Amino acid sequence: MNIIIEKNYEAMSKKAAEIFSEFIENKPDCILGLATGGTPVEMYKNLIRMNKEGKVDFSKVNSINLDEYRGLSGDHDQSYRYFMNTNLFNNININKANTFVPNGLAKDIEEECKNYDERIEQIGGIDLQLLGIGNNGHIGFNEPAEFLNTKTHLTHLTEDTIQSNARFFDKIEDVPTEAITMGLGGIMKAKRIVLIASGEGKANIISKILEGKITTDIPATLLQVHPDVTIIVDEAAAKLIKQP
Ligand code: PGA
């Protein structure tokens, strides 16, 4: 895995945005896998600025998001569809019809998951996947477990994740306990992966995923067998990386 260490959150975000914009320049009709959470917000701000300055063109880009809370509509201000619209899509020249987020209100969840995987295949697979990482090593909402799912599926969020996401809700009882998430197969099939992490709170998990061992207790350790992963961290998140 390729590791880039930047000074702080701002520099990490700028670097990630530059990688994405260069990628889009080389392949204007690319399929981007996108992520939500606190970490990508500044990277998306950089992409919005670059788009306004005419440095990156999203008009032919398709995007596929990793996950969505079950039970929240796209209009709910904590849904990931709402997050993507307000933090990126509404502010760039992407065709919203080409942006995909699982439907958290789908009545038939199995059907929704199956259709989501089929859609990824139909549009040609993900060229460049953005990932954040949970403190527990989850990617998307693939939580630590004895067995991990390859396909898009409904998942129960761990207590750890619910606690961590409570900061975005008025009270912890409001945090949804289930989500639809792309599986590890969908993520690992992406041709290129960029994982971003910032802050001391991520230092432990970042060092763990670089130890050369794989465990389903830390789903992100699987990334070590992907042929093209770049991890961009700030100095705080890099603090515990063991020198070779
Ligand atoms: P964060 O979440 O960016 O808000 O830290 C990352 C994740 O849980 O994947």
Side-chain angles (χ1 to χ4, degrees):
M1 295 201 284
N2 183 19
I3 302 170
I4 301 174
I5 301 174
E6 295 286 344
K7 184 135 203 69
N8 52 31
Y9 175 62
E10 285 71 29
M12 180 216 75
S13 304
K14 190 158 173 279
K15 183 72 192 174
E18 280 164 10
I19 290 177
F20 271 73
S21 98
E22 264 170 44
F23 193 90
I24 297 166
E25 197 178 337
N26 289 327
K27 191 170 188 214
D29 60 348
C30 62
I31 318 296
L32 298 181
L34 295 178
T36 54
T39 313
V41 171
E42 186 68 23
M43 170 192 158
Y44 290 155
K45 279 193 190 147
N46 275 275
L47 286 174
I48 292 168
R49 178 182 46 76
M50 291 161 119
N51 183 237
K52 296 220 186 308
E53 290 169 358
K55 292 181 183 150
V56 57
D57 175 14
F58 288 88
S59 60
K60 299 199 185 80
V61 169
N62 274 257
S63 75
I64 289 269
N65 260 77
L66 284 166
D67 43 20
E68 179 61 282
Y69 286 121
R70 185 182 192 186
L72 299 193
S73 80
D75 297 331
H76 189 288
D77 66 2
Q78 289 307 328
S79 74
Y80 288 163
R81 162 52 77 182
Y82 186 91
F83 175 101
M84 289 311 300
N85 286 350
T86 51
N87 284 288
L88 188 65
F89 301 150
N90 289 349
N91 308 303
I92 57 173
N93 70 332
I94 200 164
N95 179 353
K96 268 229 213 118
N98 295 336
T99 68
F100 302 100
V101 180
N103 175 8
L105 293 185
K107 290 221 163 46
D108 188 338
I109 294 282
E110 247 176 62
E111 186 69 14
E112 173 68 15
C113 293
K114 192 167 143 271
N115 291 344
Y116 207 66
D117 283 332
E118 278 171 11
R119 175 161 295 144
I120 299 173
E121 295 297 324
Q122 268 162 21
I123 61 177
I126 297 165
D127 293 307
L128 174 58
Q129 175 69 55
L130 176 69
L131 295 177
I133 182 166
N135 295 327
N136 63 359
H138 74 201
I139 43 179
F141 272 135
N142 291 280
E143 300 280 37
E146 188 180 357
F147 294 98
L148 301 178
N149 286 278
T150 54
K151 294 185 175 158
T152 298
H153 59 283
L154 182 71
T155 183
H156 294 269
L157 306 185
T158 60
E159 202 44 47
D160 205 54
T161 296
I162 292 171
Q163 293 278 353
S164 166
N165 290 2
R167 68 200 142 123
F168 299 115
F169 291 81
D170 289 338
K171 44 186 192 321
I172 194 158
E173 296 77 41
D174 294 343
V175 185
T177 55
E178 292 180 321
I180 297 173
T181 183
M182 205 188 278
L184 263 310
I187 294 172
M188 294 294 282
K189 270 193 246 165
K191 295 179 191 85
R192 183 173 176 196
I193 295 176
V194 168
L195 183 146
I196 54 175
S198 159
E200 230 174 299
K202 296 280 167 76
N204 186 41
I205 197 67
I206 289 296
S207 75
K208 284 246 157 53
I209 67 169
L210 296 170
E211 277 177 5
K213 294 188 179 128
I214 291 173
T215 168
T216 61
D217 287 337
I218 308 174
T221 55
L222 249 103
L223 296 173
Q224 293 171 109
V225 293
H226 189 283
D228 192 353
V229 177
T230 302
I231 297 183
I232 313 174
V233 285
D234 59 12
E235 285 178 0
K239 227 171 84 176
L240 299 177
I241 295 176
K242 293 187 188 74
Q243 296 306 321

